[in-house]
Amino acid sequence: MTATLEKFIAGLPKAELHLHIEGTFEPELMFEIAQRNKRQIRFNSVEEVKQAYRFNNLQEFLDIYYEGANVLIEERDFYDLTRAYLQRVHAQNVQHVEIFFDPQTHTDRGISFDTVIKGIYRALEEGEKQFGISFKLIMCFLRHLPEEAAFKTLEEALPFKDWIYGVGLDSSELGHPPSKFERVFAKAREAGFTLMAHAGEEGPSAYIWEALTQLNVARIDHGNRCLDDERLVQELAARQMALTLCPLSNRALKVVQTLDNYPIQKMMDKGLLITINSDDPAYFGGYINENYLGIAQPLHLSKETLAELAKNSFRASFLPEEEKEKRIARVEAYLANWD
Ligand code: HPA
Ligand code: ZN
């Protein structure tokens, strides 16, 4: 049963919509890049690094995630990071990716915006040619930093407007509500960026309301806490506002204690547009297929439900409508042809 389920998930055509490229930094690659850049890391082995990946909350994870990113210096490093991710998810039949990058994590260390984006973008273009993985690149502001720093980052992004599809908001949520970035998001919207924000991961449902009404987002990242507010659930369902859930991330950061009662079915039954994603797979124990499997097993999800989640990943994407339809038809054909 499990083997069949694994096989079904593995072959399912799908999109990934919530993925931080810095969160795909596997320890093996981290050691390799640290060595070639002559940077020290405080661990002696891959095992030691993995031992350190035990978190009690979002901040404990972020501290180690930013530390890992410190060894990324050259354009080639950002290319290698992105390339490795695309190779992995190509093997998982991911056919479209919308990935986040955090420019401030690098520009604050003296790495230029150009270096970061050129490395990432070159890998994405090659991945599209070689693997057929279409993509959108999304720049996130670090919400623990001041509004002014986000304005500066937005300025730096403008020369790369054609490469950056959207703008998001990540990092330490509690104490940094979406409203802190209302003006920056308004400016980003004027510049033509599509908007989204992490909200309701650790923060309250009120942060999701703010993201909707003050930032005018087109998608909510995480959004788990919407279940605390029935009126919000109704609003999200009425707007068909997609939520990008990340089950293994939620378990690793203790947003939920277990996946045994992960409320996916409840959310779908309420009419919410739900997608499954990996967030920071190198840190949370799995890429997208492991996230699907991580909920499919304990919740006994049917193949039809899993296919619905894969269809949702295309519905909730920023692909053009006719392209969404084509991709959704591929999922339907896959399900129909399954033994
Ligand atoms: N939440 C907030 N910020 C992040 C995350 C996350 O899950 N991953 C990387 N930056
Ligand atoms: Zn995230």
Side-chain angles (χ1 to χ4, degrees), residues 18-20 100 169-170 198 201 221-222 246 249 279-280 284:
H18 184 154
L19 183 280
H20 302 262
F100 299 127
L169 188 63
D170 67 1
H198 283 55
E201 179 186 17
D221 294 309
H222 295 295
C246 306
S249 164
D279 209 5
D280 301 279
F284 300 146

mmCIF file of all heavy atoms in Angstrom, residues 18-20 100 169-170 198 201 221-222 246 249 279-280 284, ligand 2:
data_model
loop_
_atom_site.group_PDB
_atom_site.id
_atom_site.type_symbol
_atom_site.label_atom_id
_atom_site.label_comp_id
_atom_site.label_asym_id
_atom_site.label_seq_id
_atom_site.Cartn_x
_atom_site.Cartn_y
_atom_site.Cartn_z
ATOM 1 N N HIS A 18 5.752 27.274 -2.675
ATOM 2 C CA HIS A 18 6.291 27.865 -1.440
ATOM 3 C C HIS A 18 7.625 27.199 -1.142
ATOM 4 O O HIS A 18 7.674 26.129 -0.537
ATOM 5 C CB HIS A 18 5.288 27.680 -0.295
ATOM 6 C CG HIS A 18 5.699 28.339 0.988
ATOM 7 N ND1 HIS A 18 4.790 28.744 1.936
ATOM 8 C CD2 HIS A 18 6.910 28.669 1.493
ATOM 9 C CE1 HIS A 18 5.424 29.283 2.966
ATOM 10 N NE2 HIS A 18 6.733 29.234 2.727
ATOM 11 N N LEU A 19 8.672 27.849 -1.611
ATOM 12 C CA LEU A 19 10.002 27.245 -1.536
ATOM 13 C C LEU A 19 11.033 28.358 -1.429
ATOM 14 O O LEU A 19 11.089 29.236 -2.306
ATOM 15 C CB LEU A 19 10.222 26.405 -2.800
ATOM 16 C CG LEU A 19 11.494 25.581 -3.026
ATOM 17 C CD1 LEU A 19 12.682 26.418 -3.508
ATOM 18 C CD2 LEU A 19 11.873 24.736 -1.816
ATOM 19 N N HIS A 20 11.799 28.347 -0.360
ATOM 20 C CA HIS A 20 12.872 29.335 -0.196
ATOM 21 C C HIS A 20 14.148 28.707 -0.737
ATOM 22 O O HIS A 20 14.584 27.669 -0.213
ATOM 23 C CB HIS A 20 13.064 29.685 1.280
ATOM 24 C CG HIS A 20 11.811 30.214 1.918
ATOM 25 N ND1 HIS A 20 11.576 31.568 2.074
ATOM 26 C CD2 HIS A 20 10.717 29.580 2.416
ATOM 27 C CE1 HIS A 20 10.395 31.736 2.648
ATOM 28 N NE2 HIS A 20 9.849 30.545 2.871
ATOM 29 N N PHE A 100 11.113 31.518 -3.824
ATOM 30 C CA PHE A 100 11.486 32.733 -3.097
ATOM 31 C C PHE A 100 13.004 32.842 -2.997
ATOM 32 O O PHE A 100 13.687 31.828 -2.856
ATOM 33 C CB PHE A 100 10.991 32.680 -1.643
ATOM 34 C CG PHE A 100 9.513 32.569 -1.464
ATOM 35 C CD1 PHE A 100 8.979 31.571 -0.669
ATOM 36 C CD2 PHE A 100 8.650 33.488 -2.043
ATOM 37 C CE1 PHE A 100 7.608 31.478 -0.451
ATOM 38 C CE2 PHE A 100 7.272 33.404 -1.832
ATOM 39 C CZ PHE A 100 6.764 32.395 -1.035
ATOM 40 N N LEU A 169 6.910 38.237 1.713
ATOM 41 C CA LEU A 169 7.326 38.700 3.035
ATOM 42 C C LEU A 169 7.606 37.476 3.891
ATOM 43 O O LEU A 169 6.717 36.637 4.068
ATOM 44 C CB LEU A 169 6.172 39.522 3.632
ATOM 45 C CG LEU A 169 6.409 40.274 4.931
ATOM 46 C CD1 LEU A 169 7.483 41.352 4.757
ATOM 47 C CD2 LEU A 169 5.104 40.926 5.411
ATOM 48 N N ASP A 170 8.845 37.375 4.396
ATOM 49 C CA ASP A 170 9.155 36.201 5.221
ATOM 50 C C ASP A 170 10.006 36.591 6.434
ATOM 51 O O ASP A 170 10.124 37.764 6.751
ATOM 52 C CB ASP A 170 9.806 35.082 4.374
ATOM 53 C CG ASP A 170 11.178 35.445 3.848
ATOM 54 O OD1 ASP A 170 11.671 36.554 4.122
ATOM 55 O OD2 ASP A 170 11.767 34.601 3.143
ATOM 56 N N HIS A 198 3.908 35.703 3.856
ATOM 57 C CA HIS A 198 3.751 34.693 4.898
ATOM 58 C C HIS A 198 2.842 35.306 5.965
ATOM 59 O O HIS A 198 3.108 36.422 6.433
ATOM 60 C CB HIS A 198 5.097 34.377 5.553
ATOM 61 C CG HIS A 198 5.994 33.487 4.748
ATOM 62 N ND1 HIS A 198 6.356 33.764 3.459
ATOM 63 C CD2 HIS A 198 6.632 32.331 5.083
ATOM 64 C CE1 HIS A 198 7.172 32.806 3.025
ATOM 65 N NE2 HIS A 198 7.362 31.923 3.983
ATOM 66 N N GLU A 201 1.443 31.728 10.176
ATOM 67 C CA GLU A 201 2.267 30.521 10.427
ATOM 68 C C GLU A 201 2.404 30.427 11.954
ATOM 69 O O GLU A 201 1.859 29.518 12.572
ATOM 70 C CB GLU A 201 3.635 30.669 9.735
ATOM 71 C CG GLU A 201 4.589 29.489 9.949
ATOM 72 C CD GLU A 201 6.000 29.725 9.377
ATOM 73 O OE1 GLU A 201 6.359 30.890 9.097
ATOM 74 O OE2 GLU A 201 6.751 28.732 9.235
ATOM 75 N N ASP A 221 1.000 32.716 2.175
ATOM 76 C CA ASP A 221 1.935 31.635 2.466
ATOM 77 C C ASP A 221 1.716 31.136 3.887
ATOM 78 O O ASP A 221 1.674 31.937 4.827
ATOM 79 C CB ASP A 221 3.370 32.120 2.223
ATOM 80 C CG ASP A 221 3.580 32.396 0.736
ATOM 81 O OD1 ASP A 221 3.256 31.486 -0.058
ATOM 82 O OD2 ASP A 221 4.000 33.508 0.369
ATOM 83 N N HIS A 222 1.566 29.830 4.016
ATOM 84 C CA HIS A 222 1.119 29.147 5.232
ATOM 85 C C HIS A 222 -0.376 29.444 5.441
ATOM 86 O O HIS A 222 -1.188 28.853 4.779
ATOM 87 C CB HIS A 222 1.941 29.503 6.474
ATOM 88 C CG HIS A 222 3.372 29.058 6.387
ATOM 89 N ND1 HIS A 222 3.731 27.735 6.332
ATOM 90 C CD2 HIS A 222 4.534 29.770 6.343
ATOM 91 C CE1 HIS A 222 5.054 27.633 6.264
ATOM 92 N NE2 HIS A 222 5.570 28.857 6.260
ATOM 93 N N CYS A 246 2.686 23.921 4.273
ATOM 94 C CA CYS A 246 3.966 23.216 4.269
ATOM 95 C C CYS A 246 3.997 22.267 5.478
ATOM 96 O O CYS A 246 4.493 22.637 6.559
ATOM 97 C CB CYS A 246 5.110 24.225 4.365
ATOM 98 S SG CYS A 246 5.062 25.507 3.100
ATOM 99 N N SER A 249 7.383 21.367 7.342
ATOM 100 C CA SER A 249 7.855 22.597 7.985
ATOM 101 C C SER A 249 7.064 22.842 9.266
ATOM 102 O O SER A 249 7.624 23.113 10.334
ATOM 103 C CB SER A 249 7.693 23.775 7.022
ATOM 104 O OG SER A 249 7.780 25.006 7.690
ATOM 105 N N ASP A 279 8.673 24.438 1.587
ATOM 106 C CA ASP A 279 9.232 25.538 2.378
ATOM 107 C C ASP A 279 10.763 25.548 2.367
ATOM 108 O O ASP A 279 11.370 26.301 1.589
ATOM 109 C CB ASP A 279 8.683 25.480 3.817
ATOM 110 C CG ASP A 279 8.606 26.835 4.487
ATOM 111 O OD1 ASP A 279 8.883 27.837 3.823
ATOM 112 O OD2 ASP A 279 8.249 26.892 5.686
ATOM 113 N N ASP A 280 11.389 24.751 3.231
ATOM 114 C CA ASP A 280 12.857 24.714 3.340
ATOM 115 C C ASP A 280 13.290 23.249 3.440
ATOM 116 O O ASP A 280 13.666 22.760 4.514
ATOM 117 C CB ASP A 280 13.305 25.475 4.600
ATOM 118 C CG ASP A 280 12.851 26.924 4.570
ATOM 119 O OD1 ASP A 280 13.516 27.737 3.910
ATOM 120 O OD2 ASP A 280 11.821 27.228 5.186
ATOM 121 N N PHE A 284 13.907 20.620 6.784
ATOM 122 C CA PHE A 284 12.703 20.066 7.403
ATOM 123 C C PHE A 284 12.448 18.602 7.054
ATOM 124 O O PHE A 284 11.376 18.070 7.339
ATOM 125 C CB PHE A 284 11.474 20.917 7.036
ATOM 126 C CG PHE A 284 11.569 22.360 7.488
ATOM 127 C CD1 PHE A 284 11.011 23.383 6.724
ATOM 128 C CD2 PHE A 284 12.216 22.700 8.673
ATOM 129 C CE1 PHE A 284 11.082 24.718 7.135
ATOM 130 C CE2 PHE A 284 12.303 24.029 9.091
ATOM 131 C CZ PHE A 284 11.738 25.042 8.323
HETATM 132 ZN ZN ZN B 2 8.233 29.974 3.922
#
